[in-house]
């Protein structure tokens, strides 16, 4: 066991994906606008889409259609959602990692911390994105928005990942209210990144620690567990 691992007081750290590890608003805007155009709807700006991220793909598609005309009926949602998910899965543009993400994840893993991922993005898209970024092997457990009957802000979504990694002292790292609510429900402390898609002032998220740079996460985890 390295000297670093002795100073990280958590055996498990679970991460959100969008707005925490990857800056995906550009990608989601591009794919979403492709779907909107097929359904004769006008395009959205990236800024508009940033305010819709966090509740999963079905909610994103609903918000997008409501913002560009009549809201979708339940019957009309599925074809639009299927179009978006299929286009997203086959999209060839590489996602953008936030600065310091690969090094920070690798450092935590090398120190003996087990890493998990808890996202409301569909599992097959999540796995593909992480594989494209060569990050998938770092995560011992992964739950997407469609992996379980529940998703964030339900604490059971996060608890499932923690338990899949063997349990123990865990912390959550995210960027919006769903991450904080899930962590509170699961009884887990939470760090929020300030650069993501919070949809509200980050100071009002209720996180234990706010961070501007993910490279500062190891020190934050030490403070959090002190």
């Amino acid at each position: 066991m390295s000297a670093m691992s002795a100073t990280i007081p958590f055996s498990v750290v679970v991460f959100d994906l969008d707005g925490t590890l990857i800056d995906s608003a550009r990608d989601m805007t591009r794919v979403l606008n492709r779907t909107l155009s097929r359904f004769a709807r006008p395009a959205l700006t990236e800024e508009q889409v940033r305010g819709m991220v966090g509740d999963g793909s079905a909610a994103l598609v609903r918000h997008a259609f409501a913002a560009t005309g009549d809201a979708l009926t339940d019957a009309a949602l599925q074809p639009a959602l299927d179009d978006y998910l299929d286009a997203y899965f086959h999209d060839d543009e590489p996602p953008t990692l936030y600065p310091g993400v690969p090094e920070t994840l690798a450092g935590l893993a090398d120190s003996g911390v087990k890493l998990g991922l808890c996202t409301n993005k569909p599992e097959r898209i999540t796995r593909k994105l992480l594989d494209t970024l060569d990050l998938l092997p770092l995560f011992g457990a992964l739950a997407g928005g469609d992996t379980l009957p529940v998703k964030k802000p339900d604490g059971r979504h996060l608890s499932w990942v923690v338990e899949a990694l063997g349990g123990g002292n865990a912390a959550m790292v995210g960027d919006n209210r769903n991450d904080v609510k899930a962590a509170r429900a699961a009884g887990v402390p939470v760090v929020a990144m300030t650069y993501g898609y919070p949809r509200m002032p980050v100071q009002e998220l209720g996180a234990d620690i706010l961070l501007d740079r993910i490279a500062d996460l190891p020190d934050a985890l030490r403070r959090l567990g002190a």
Side-chain angles (χ1 to χ4, degrees):
M1 186 177 288
S2 69
M4 184 190 205
S5 66
T7 64
I8 301 286
F10 296 97
S11 54
V12 170
V13 178
V14 181
F15 292 85
D16 171 53
L17 182 62
D18 298 301
T20 301
L21 302 181
I22 63 172
D23 187 2
S24 52
R26 180 197 63 179
D27 304 323
M28 284 187 278
T29 302
R30 183 182 60 255
V31 177
L32 195 54
N33 281 337
R34 200 177 303 160
T35 292
L36 287 169
S37 71
R38 289 181 184 137
F39 286 80
R41 296 295 181 98
L44 293 170
T45 66
E46 183 177 319
E47 195 59 37
Q48 285 176 295
V49 174
R50 281 177 178 269
M52 301 174 180
V53 176
D55 297 322
S57 296
L60 176 62
V61 170
R62 278 192 186 277
H63 288 316
F65 275 75
T68 56
D70 294 334
L72 289 172
T73 63
D74 288 343
L77 172 63
Q78 201 59 51
L81 179 59
D82 288 344
D83 185 278
Y84 170 72
L85 294 177
D86 189 59
Y88 201 164
F89 185 76
H90 291 101
D91 188 50
D92 290 329
E93 290 281 336
T96 302
L97 281 169
Y98 287 109
V101 166
E103 300 86 350
T104 302
L105 294 178
L108 289 171
D110 288 346
S111 74
V113 177
K114 295 175 183 175
L115 305 183
L117 198 93
C118 183
T119 175
N120 284 346
K121 187 184 286 299
E123 183 177 340
R124 70 174 181 139
I125 293 174
T126 298
R127 288 187 178 278
K128 183 189 176 185
L129 292 176
L130 291 175
D131 188 49
T132 300
L133 294 165
D134 295 323
L135 295 180
L136 191 56
L138 290 173
F139 293 98
L142 185 159
D146 54 357
T147 304
L148 306 172
V150 297
K151 63 177 187 247
K152 295 181 296 183
D154 194 306
R156 290 171 291 178
H157 195 197
L158 172 58
S159 296
W160 183 90
V161 179
V162 174
E163 290 163 13
L165 290 169
N169 204 15
M172 174 74 189
V173 182
D175 72 300
N176 72 27
R177 194 62 177 271
N178 283 341
D179 300 315
V180 175
K181 283 186 173 181
R184 294 286 173 249
V188 169
V190 57
V191 175
M193 308 309 302
T194 61
Y195 50 64
Y197 318 132
R199 299 187 296 187
M200 64 188 297
V202 290
Q203 294 79 9
E204 296 176 17
L205 288 175
D208 295 295
I209 293 178
L210 294 175
L211 284 185
D212 297 329
R213 305 184 320 143
I214 203 163
D216 297 329
L217 181 60
D219 286 337
L221 291 172
R222 294 182 190 102
R223 297 201 312 273
L224 200 54

